[in-house]
Amino acid sequence: EMGIEHAYIELGGFRIGKTDSLFSTFTDYSSGVLNDGLVPYGPFATLQIAYTYTGANGFSAAIALEQGDEDEGEFASGITEDYAPYVVGGVSLTQGWGKIGVVAGYDSWEQEVAVKGRLDVNITDTASVFVMAAWDSGGNSGPNLSDGANFYAPWGGDWAVWGGTAIKFNEKATFNAEVGYDDFDNFSIAANIAYDLVPGFTITPEIAYVDNFDIDDSDAWGVNVRFQRTF
């Protein structure tokens, strides 16, 4: 089965078309690991009309009307069936020390709100850390389609938190890590080293671990290796 992930027109801060939800992109997704979002932090594919303002002082603000997407599967409520679209808005500030931002999404079909905040800190020129937290007004319903989950809150329960780091060892190697945990005791950790073998060719081995502290024998390990050629 084939599909189009991104197809949009963007001009002067305005964007219209299909792409990832502003709720996920405005807070810069999560980290540099391959398996980011093992504890999910937001939806992706959606039809969207959006505008982003970027000021010279590092301040940014954005707003979007979104439709959702039926391919989000069991972790979201899919396409809205209401007359009103989903609404997303966010503000952020980027300075030399890092970045801070908050974004909120309103699911007009479920009539629920999700809010997510993120803080990035540049410890040195080659090392940074982030922490991100989210809350869902309808989180007790559970993260699946049959329970009518908020499109903007695919994590389990009312809240979720994430943290991570990126450390550039040298010109070729960068270490990335991400930890996630939510209200339903879902836990995840993933770490990798992205190594630029030659300019334009990156090899990234990664290890990941997931568990649910409330369910016996639910832990699992995984290993991935990505070979990426950029032309």
Side-chain angles (χ1 to χ4, degrees), residues 5-188:
E5 295 288 333
H6 306 277
Y8 58 86
I9 297 173
E10 189 170 39
L11 180 64
F14 284 96
R15 174 181 290 181
I16 183 171
K18 182 179 181 180
T19 189
D20 292 337
S21 170
L22 184 71
F23 191 81
S24 296
T25 63
F26 193 74
T27 50
D28 301 319
Y29 296 94
S30 58
S31 69
V33 300
L34 305 180
N35 292 285
D36 68 325
L38 290 173
V39 172
Y41 53 82
F44 295 99
T46 179
L47 297 178
Q48 176 188 104
I49 300 175
Y51 174 72
T52 300
Y53 166 79
T54 304
N57 60 352
F59 174 79
S60 293
I63 188 169
L65 303 178
E66 299 183 343
Q67 186 185 29
D69 189 81
E70 60 186 357
D71 294 331
E72 287 295 331
E74 66 174 353
F75 295 109
S77 55
I79 293 178
T80 178
E81 298 179 37
D82 195 8
Y83 68 91
Y86 301 148
V87 182
V88 186
V91 293
S92 69
L93 180 67
T94 303
Q95 300 290 300
W97 52 263
K99 181 178 180 180
I100 187 170
V102 61
V103 63
Y106 176 67
D107 184 324
S108 57
W109 179 244
E110 297 295 332
Q111 298 183 341
E112 302 289 357
V113 176
V115 181
K116 181 173 57 177
R118 173 169 175 154
L119 173 66
D120 291 84
V121 177
N122 300 321
I123 300 174
T124 68
D125 291 340
T126 58
S128 64
V129 296
F130 82 90
V131 60
M132 189 164 65
W135 171 81
D136 172 25
S137 65
N140 288 328
S141 61
N144 58 65
L145 184 60
S146 62
D147 289 334
N150 183 349
F151 179 72
Y152 294 106
W155 55 85
D158 291 319
W159 54 266
V161 292
W162 303 263
T165 187
I167 303 172
K168 191 174 180 64
F169 291 146
N170 51 51
E171 292 185 358
K172 288 183 175 292
T174 301
F175 171 78
N176 299 285
E178 175 182 313
V179 177
Y181 184 73
D182 68 24
D183 189 25
F184 281 0
D185 286 332
N186 294 304
F187 172 80
S188 70

Side-chain angles (χ1 to χ4, degrees), residues 172 195-202 229:
K172 288 183 175 292
Y195 186 79
D196 296 330
L197 187 63
V198 296
F201 183 59
T202 303
R229 181 71 171 98

